Amino acid sequence: MRPALREFGSAVRLFREGTHTEAVGRSLLGVIGELAQIVGWIASDAGRHAEAERIYRLGLSAAHTAGDTTLAGNVLGSLAYQRTNTGDVRGGLGMARAALETAHEAPPRARALYLDRVAWAHAKAGEDQAAMRAVSEAGEALAGHGGEDEPGYLYWVDAGELRVMEARVYTELRRPLRAVPALRDVLGRYDATHTRELALYLSWLAVALADANEPEEAAATAERVMTLSAGLASDRTARRAKVVLSRLERFGDVPEVRALLGGAA
C-alpha cells in the first residue's frame, strides 16, 4: 500500500507543481487516472474503503480532465464495484451504468468489463433477468475484440476471466447448475501462483457446490480457500472465507463440514 501511494502522490505532485506543455499535462493526467485505479483497488482490497473512494474520485477527475472516457469508465467501474460489494448496491448499480453509458467509444474489452460491473450489481440486488442480460451482453462485447488498439490496463480481460465473472453472477443468483461447470472449467486451468484470485474464485465454487447440495465437495473446496487465504493481507478474501463458512453451516451434520467448521472456530 505505501509504495503504491508514494507513486500516486509523486504523479499528482508532478502535475500540480511542475511546468509542462498541454500535451504532457494531458499525459500526466492519464497516468494519474491509471494509478488511481490501481492504488484504489489495493486500498479497497485492504478494507480501506473511504481512502479507496477518495483515490478513485481523484483519478476519475483526472481522466475526465484528460478527455479519456475509457479510462474514466474504468475508474468509475472500479468505484461502482466497491460500492456494490460494501452494501450500497443501488449506488453501485448507478455508477456501473454511468460508466457504461459515458464510454460510447470504449474498445470491446472495456465494454465487456463495464457490463460485468452492471451484471454484478444487478445480481447483488437479486435482479436475475437484468443480471443475466448484462452477462450475455458482456460476452457479446468481448467477442467483438479483434486486436484493435486499446489501453494496456485491459490486458487481463479475456474469455477465462469473463467466464469467472459470469459464474460468480450465477452463484450470487443461486443458479449452481450454471455456475459450477463454468468455475470448474476455468479453475482447472488457472495459474496457481495467482493466490488471491484463486482463493476468491474457489470461494464462489464452494458456495455454488453448497447450493447444489454437494456439501462434501463444498467442504473440500472451502478448505482450499482457507489454506490459500491464510497468508493473504486481503480484507476481501477474508470476508469471502466467512461467507463460505456461513453458507456451509446448514450442513453441520456432514462429517467433512463439521470438521471444517470446528477447525475454523
Side-chain angles (χ1 to χ4, degrees), residues 1 42-47 196 228-238:
M1 184 74 196
I42 294 170
S44 184
D45 192 55
R196 174 192 172 276
L228 288 168
S229 61
L232 295 176
S234 169
D235 175 73
R236 185 142 185 260
T237 307

Side-chain angles (χ1 to χ4, degrees), residues 29-39 59 68 71 74-75 151-153:
L29 286 169
V31 170
I32 290 168
E34 289 191 36
L35 281 171
Q37 193 279 325
I38 296 168
V39 180
D68 190 335
L71 177 58
N74 189 42
V75 178
Y153 53 77

Side-chain angles (χ1 to χ4, degrees), residues 158-175:
D158 59 22
E161 290 292 343
L162 199 66
R163 190 152 169 77
V164 169
M165 296 174 192
E166 176 185 341
R168 289 186 313 151
V169 167
Y170 286 130
T171 301
E172 193 68 24
L173 296 177
R174 299 209 170 189
R175 294 173 179 258

Side-chain angles (χ1 to χ4, degrees), residues 171-187:
T171 301
E172 193 68 24
L173 296 177
R174 299 209 170 189
R175 294 173 179 258
L177 293 181
R178 295 191 182 193
V180 171
L183 285 167
R184 280 177 171 159
D185 175 50
V186 174
L187 290 171

Side-chain angles (χ1 to χ4, degrees), residues 249-260:
E249 286 178 352
R250 65 190 177 98
F251 298 106
D253 58 336
V254 177
E256 292 87 347
V257 174
R258 187 165 59 246
L260 177 69

Side-chain angles (χ1 to χ4, degrees), residues 18-248:
T19 302
H20 40 70
T21 65
E22 183 179 345
V24 170
R26 194 160 47 248
S27 294
L28 281 171
L29 286 169
V31 170
I32 290 168
E34 289 191 36
L35 281 171
Q37 193 279 325
I38 296 168
V39 180
W41 191 267
I42 294 170
S44 184
D45 192 55
R48 294 163 65 168
H49 301 124
E51 186 166 17
E53 176 147 353
R54 177 186 65 80
I55 294 166
Y56 281 143
R57 289 192 177 280
L58 200 158
L60 184 60
S61 175
H64 279 309
T65 304
D68 190 335
T69 57
T70 299
L71 177 58
N74 189 42
V75 178
L76 183 57
S78 296
L79 178 55
Y81 193 58
Q82 173 176 282
R83 283 289 190 92
T84 301
N85 287 331
T86 53
D88 183 11
V89 176
R90 283 296 154 196
L93 178 57
M95 289 180 178
R97 284 197 167 282
L100 178 64
E101 291 166 3
T102 57
H104 301 295
E105 298 180 4
R109 290 205 288 189
R111 288 189 61 79
L113 179 58
Y114 304 160
L115 281 159
D116 172 70
R117 303 296 192 227
V118 172
W120 182 243
H122 278 304
K124 294 292 283 185
E127 297 168 353
D128 295 40
Q129 295 305 313
M132 290 189 290
R133 185 164 56 250
V135 161
S136 176
E137 290 173 359
E140 291 170 5
L142 187 63
H145 174 59
E148 58 282 319
D149 187 30
E150 61 183 14
Y153 53 77
L154 295 171
Y155 73 94
W156 64 278
V157 183
D158 59 22
E161 290 292 343
L162 199 66
R163 190 152 169 77
V164 169
M165 296 174 192
E166 176 185 341
R168 289 186 313 151
V169 167
Y170 286 130
T171 301
E172 193 68 24
L173 296 177
R174 299 209 170 189
R175 294 173 179 258
L177 293 181
R178 295 191 182 193
V180 171
L183 285 167
R184 280 177 171 159
D185 175 50
V186 174
L187 290 171
R189 310 180 257 107
Y190 206 77
D191 187 344
T193 64
H194 296 179
T195 309
R196 174 192 172 276
E197 288 74 18
L198 185 58
L200 281 173
Y201 298 165
L202 283 168
S203 76
W204 271 286
L205 177 58
V207 169
L209 286 166
D211 287 343
N213 202 32
E214 295 288 349
E216 295 86 358
E217 192 173 354
T221 304
E223 188 169 4
R224 286 188 67 194
V225 174
M226 304 305 154
T227 301
L228 288 168
S229 61
L232 295 176
S234 169
D235 175 73
R236 185 142 185 260
T237 307
R239 285 189 289 114
R240 282 298 305 171
K242 290 178 181 178
V243 169
V244 171
L245 293 175
S246 176
R247 292 289 278 273
L248 284 170

